[in-house]
Amino acid sequence: MESGLRHRLAEKMAGEITLSDSPGKTLKKWRLSFDISQGQLSEYLGVSPSVISDYESGRRKSPGTAIIGRIVDSILAIDEAKGGKYIHKYASLLFAEMGDGVIYDLHDYKSPIDLATFAGAISADVITGPTHLSIYGYTVIDSLRAIMNLTASEFNRIYGWSTERALIFTGVSNGKSPMVAIRVTPFKPRCVVLHGISLDNVHPIVPKMAEKDNITLMCTTQGIEDIVERLREEKW
């Protein structure tokens, strides 16, 4: 693993946790992003699992920068021992000329998940498209930053390992912007989720664009942190 790339990723993770309004939740997000259990992390750090649990739940005072640095380094070290799969994935997405903050979360599943199950997990309304098809992961994207900062080729990187995934766009007003962006790129996702708006707020042309590209379209008003936590904790 290139030490410079690892160091940059560690700095980004530690900075995001330290500056977050909810450091515990952000710490948990990164731990789950690397598919590491509280037990694995606590064992590596030489502390009780309850310590990690208390930090993440907010029962224990937010750790200082030195402890956060140790936790982040431990997460990366555990991943390196497994081959560095997630370091490679997040580093390539975060630093491949992609604007900062574009990707909120990205995850790939070992087994396919049907869209009906996925919609239920995030309390989404299906606007159009089949739900018997499957996805192998999801990407949560800041809609405005993606549209403002990414070129067409950079936009394709948000698919991770497969286009058979759900793209969850946050900060959406009526759904037109993300669907237009997808229309002009060569790759199409299996599913698009418009986050933060209800069915009544979706522009009438948006379902038509989704149908044109054979995309299952959904919307949800569930909190984005709740969505990520639920999708990470599901044993699919």
Side-chain angles (χ1 to χ4, degrees), residues 17 20-42 45 48-63 67-68 71-72 75 225 229 232-233:
I17 295 169
S20 173
D21 291 334
S22 302
K25 288 185 177 180
T26 307
L27 168 60
K28 182 176 183 179
K29 183 197 83 169
W30 278 113
R31 177 179 62 77
L32 292 173
S33 294
F34 279 78
D35 196 23
I36 294 171
S37 68
Q38 288 183 345
Q40 287 176 303
L41 182 57
S42 62
L45 286 164
S48 167
S50 63
V51 173
I52 304 300
S53 176
D54 287 348
Y55 278 141
E56 292 182 349
S57 66
R59 289 190 297 269
R60 184 183 290 255
K61 183 181 177 181
S62 179
I67 295 177
I68 289 175
I71 293 173
V72 167
I75 290 173
E225 289 186 353
E229 183 173 343
R232 288 285 180 175
E233 292 183 343

Side-chain angles (χ1 to χ4, degrees), residues 128-139:
T128 188
T131 58
H132 67 279
L133 300 176
S134 297
I135 56 173
Y136 288 84
Y138 67 85
T139 308

Side-chain angles (χ1 to χ4, degrees), residues 94-174:
L94 291 169
F95 305 121
E97 300 178 1
M98 192 174 288
D100 187 36
V102 171
I103 302 294
Y104 180 84
D105 190 43
L106 180 149
H107 188 64
D108 293 281
Y109 295 118
K110 295 178 181 178
S111 302
I113 311 302
D114 67 80
L115 289 172
T117 301
F118 181 78
I122 63 173
S123 302
D125 291 313
V126 179
I127 301 170
T128 188
T131 58
H132 67 279
L133 300 176
S134 297
I135 56 173
Y136 288 84
Y138 67 85
T139 308
V140 181
I141 306 144
D142 185 302
S143 179
L144 182 60
R145 289 182 178 179
I147 293 165
M148 293 295 293
N149 297 329
L150 302 187
T151 65
S153 61
E154 290 169 346
F155 193 87
N156 292 332
R157 294 179 184 147
I158 66 179
Y159 291 105
W161 304 122
S162 171
T163 57
E164 294 182 350
R165 69 193 304 105
L167 300 186
I168 304 173
F169 287 94
T170 68
V172 174
S173 58
N174 59 26

